[in-house]
Amino acid sequence: MNVYFLIYVLSVTVASLSQLLLKKSAMKDYGSFLKEYLNPYVVSGYGLLFLSMFLTILAFRGMDYKNGPVIESLGYGMVLFLSRIFFGERITGRKVAGTLCILAGILVFYL
């Protein structure tokens, strides 16, 4: 297995975790505009997105660009299951169908 592939999977995982932090922030009510955008969840979430960007750049140094969108789509499934774990969200049939469509797109891409 290519180390750059693993770096890109790590990048997608970090980006998925940042989405969870941003969602947690969006679920709260803040008293002011400044507190809404400068709270620990938002700052940490965007910090993780910044880290994810650098990991992605590093990963693309040693792998083909055509594999990028395929690996990036793993993030949709990660967010689905992480939202279930951390927020208790239901995994509905529509969400499963959407994830299956993404997986079908990956299969078609590699055929």
Side-chain angles (χ1 to χ4, degrees), residues 24-67:
K24 183 150 180 88
S25 175
M27 293 168 62
K28 288 188 168 192
D29 219 6
Y30 297 96
S32 71
F33 178 80
L34 196 59
K35 287 181 181 178
E36 188 171 343
Y37 291 100
L38 291 178
N39 63 66
Y41 293 122
V42 170
V43 172
S44 299
Y46 282 114
L48 286 176
L49 279 177
F50 198 67
L51 174 63
S52 174
M53 177 191 67
F54 281 112
L55 289 172
T56 300
I57 291 169
L58 180 63
F60 277 134
R61 288 183 177 183
M63 61 183 282
D64 292 334
Y65 290 129
K66 71 175 186 170
N67 294 324

Side-chain angles (χ1 to χ4, degrees), residues 47-109:
L48 286 176
L49 279 177
F50 198 67
L51 174 63
S52 174
M53 177 191 67
F54 281 112
L55 289 172
T56 300
I57 291 169
L58 180 63
F60 277 134
R61 288 183 177 183
M63 61 183 282
D64 292 334
Y65 290 129
K66 71 175 186 170
N67 294 324
V70 175
I71 299 169
E72 190 70 37
S73 65
L74 293 173
Y76 295 108
M78 281 187 203
V79 170
L80 177 71
F81 290 110
L82 290 173
S83 294
R84 172 70 179 142
I85 293 168
F86 291 109
F87 300 126
E89 289 185 1
R90 291 185 50 224
I91 297 178
T92 63
R94 292 182 87 172
K95 291 177 183 178
V96 171
T99 304
L100 289 175
C101 284
I102 291 169
L103 291 174
I106 292 170
L107 286 174
V108 167
F109 180 78

Side-chain angles (χ1 to χ4, degrees), residues 10-24:
L10 176 65
S11 171
V12 171
T13 304
V14 168
S16 298
L17 292 173
S18 75
Q19 288 181 28
L20 292 178
L21 288 173
L22 293 171
K23 183 172 184 165
K24 183 150 180 88

